[in-house]
Amino acid sequence: MSIFLVFVAIGVAGAVAFAVVGRRPTDSDWRRFSGHIGGLVEPTPSLPAVLLPDTPDASDIGRIRFAPALRGYRMDQVDEVLDRLAAALADRDTTIAELRRTHQVPQ
């Protein structure tokens, strides 16, 4: 019985939404909201991007900010940060392995 009530509530909400809107948006409606005919306008970032410094540490990760793009964040900035993090982790792992070999520390 409760599943039936859920479907009824969804149907009522849909009917109310349809009654409020009254019609489907046309192409001219979409153009008016998109800014120009060619598509959506690239958003203007309100704050500059904050990427990783040359030698990142764990506290730098919490300060990372990417510039917004049309559907999420700028991929070039995300790729750069991930590449630098991967390089920093590889460097750290190499240093740890080297220190373990030098000092004969068991793993």
Side-chain angles (χ1 to χ4, degrees):
M1 182 67 180
S2 64
I3 293 176
F4 175 73
L5 291 176
V6 169
F7 285 124
V8 168
I10 291 172
V12 168
V16 168
F18 184 74
V20 169
V21 172
R23 64 181 176 85
R24 286 183 42 187
T26 62
D27 286 341
S28 63
D29 293 331
W30 291 116
R31 280 191 215 109
R32 183 180 57 206
F33 290 120
S34 68
H36 65 283
I37 295 174
L40 297 176
V41 177
E42 188 72 25
T44 305
S46 57
L47 295 173
V50 178
L51 303 180
L52 287 175
D54 290 334
T55 55
D57 60 12
S59 65
D60 292 327
I61 294 174
R63 289 190 291 269
I64 295 173
R65 297 289 178 264
F66 300 108
L70 185 58
R71 292 186 177 157
Y73 297 104
R74 291 192 39 197
M75 285 193 298
D76 60 332
Q77 292 177 349
V78 175
D79 290 342
E80 178 187 343
V81 167
L82 291 176
D83 290 344
R84 294 177 85 182
L85 277 175
L89 289 174
D91 185 43
R92 183 201 63 180
D93 291 344
T94 302
T95 303
I96 290 172
E98 191 175 300
L99 288 172
R100 284 184 175 156
R101 269 195 315 272
T102 304
H103 297 294
Q104 298 298 321
V105 176
Q107 296 182 9

